Amino acid sequence: MRRAMAALPLRFPRLPKPELVHLRTPFRFPVLPPLPQAFFVSPRASSMSLASSPSSSSSTSSSLPVLTLPPPPPSGHAPHLPSVSSGAVDLEPYLGCSMPGRRLRVAVLLSGGVDSSTALRLLHAAGHDCTAFYLKIWFQEDFENFWSECPWDEDLKYARAVCDQVDVPLEVVHLSDEYWNNVVSHIISEYRSGRTPNPDVLCNTRIKFGAFLEAIASMEFDYVASGHYAHVVHSPSEDGPSILKLSKDSIKDQTYFLSHLSQSQLKRLLFPLGCLRKDEVRRIATLMDLPNKDRKDSQGICFLGKVKFSEFVAKHIGELEGVLLEAETGDYLGNHHGFWFYTIGQRQGLRLSGGPWYVVEKDVRNNVVFVSRNYFSLDKRRRTFHVGSLNWFSGALPENTEQLQCKVRHGPGFYDCSIMAVPGIDGDEDNLTVHLSEDDQGLAAGQFAAFYHGDVCIGSGVIMDSWDEKCFPICSKALEIARMEDKSKLGKPVRIMNLDAR
């Protein structure tokens, strides 16, 4: 299959190469271009341009009645939290990732969800001078006919209510051009090329901790915080590196999504939830009576908000009818609306009888999607792949390349792995050959591979493809049909009976 598609160039668009810089105040993000039209709107003030935005005023800490909690139990045991009826809570035992004992000026990214809201309250309890920021994406207005009301109204109402509880100022930041130029356009380009990009990694690197950091550079905040589940350990020395460590919650841990940040970005970040589990965050939110304490977690792609992925792809890439072929037999099973709607390993949305069916390959040139019911066969799994667009928090390939671990997707699972540097396609930077200790069934070009040494994330890169000899085999008949110019000659699709019925 790979050889059959060799005529189609598959060159991954290079992401901006992170630059290792020593932090100085004010911070200047080294990669992204100047912002053209970012501006702030405060709920307590009229609109103002970025150029004339004064530094945000200090938050006023309310004096709250305190119920002292017992100290956290030894590691491995869940801390005892008082009942909801116990009143206000002493949060000191839960401020380990909030830099207590120092009064810092912190810009807090607030989404309206319970995680970022709890992070804000922890920072406030730690004594910091907080200003909250809500990021708004105007390109969602392209989908305004899909909703009866503005999709971010509810988020913003919750964000304001949370800030009002402790008199923290809230600013609304418009970054539409930055989202489109640095994230959305790249996503569209990747899907058109048959790859599966990761919007959340790009969103963190280029927007939340990229364009936003640039936008507030003149406001002289000490740190930027968010509700991510990760733990950043900062060096006591200004010139020392910061370290990205796994969070306490292995299920919710988001270091994978943060693994492509530069060292200069990492130096500016605080993640107050890195020392907590999700159930603790929910419990604390209830004890503090946050307005969104019962709100469900967001499950959408970072930049899409309430837009369904299929709607986004259909609007910005379009639809083009193609065929679904069984990989082993070449049987014509049905039609699809464009290969870009599918990713390797996908099961949902195929609408084929006799399944379950899985996407196993895509012919980008001929708009053909190959499917199989044998996706989980042991002899068709993959463990060796190439990675490009490398980012190392230390600025260089680690010295020990044998005893590492790797994540190829978000989640608690790790693989032991070894890596080896190999020349890149252009010869101006190295790529990696990564060999996993176990087979993986869903390696997808365009996704990220994050690397770890113990509980420390050391960097990541973009999966270019699986380059071993165990790619899913496509039979010669299926390849021949895929190359047919007039596929109307295929006739009616073959209807496959369920395996259990045979």
Side-chain angles (χ1 to χ4, degrees), residues 50-63:
L50 177 61
S52 61
S53 296
S55 297
S56 298
S57 59
S58 300
S59 62
T60 304
S61 300
S62 303
S63 178

Side-chain angles (χ1 to χ4, degrees), residues 32-89:
L32 295 176
L35 301 182
Q37 291 182 337
F39 63 96
F40 302 99
V41 180
S42 170
R44 296 185 174 86
S46 59
S47 300
M48 61 181 111
S49 67
L50 177 61
S52 61
S53 296
S55 297
S56 298
S57 59
S58 300
S59 62
T60 304
S61 300
S62 303
S63 178
L64 297 174
V66 172
L67 173 67
T68 303
L69 296 180
S75 176
H77 299 275
H80 170 72
L81 290 175
S83 65
V84 176
S85 61
S86 297
V89 181

Side-chain angles (χ1 to χ4, degrees), residues 411-422:
F414 290 88
Y415 290 112
D416 291 332
C417 74
S418 61
I419 61 176
M420 181 177 66
V422 295

Side-chain angles (χ1 to χ4, degrees), residues 358-422:
Y358 298 86
V359 175
V360 295
E361 286 292 351
K362 296 184 291 185
D363 183 335
V364 175
R365 169 172 290 180
N366 296 300
N367 192 27
V368 173
V369 174
F370 299 97
V371 298
S372 173
R373 292 176 292 180
N374 301 315
Y375 183 67
F376 289 96
S377 298
L378 290 175
D379 62 338
K380 298 180 179 69
R381 299 179 184 180
R382 297 172 285 182
R383 67 172 65 187
T384 301
F385 56 97
H386 278 205
V387 172
S389 299
L390 298 172
N391 170 66
W392 304 110
F393 288 121
S394 66
L397 183 76
E399 293 183 4
N400 182 354
T401 61
E402 294 293 328
Q403 298 176 351
L404 298 178
Q405 289 183 304
C406 175
K407 282 188 179 188
V408 293
R409 61 186 60 86
H410 170 59
F414 290 88
Y415 290 112
D416 291 332
C417 74
S418 61
I419 61 176
M420 181 177 66
V422 295

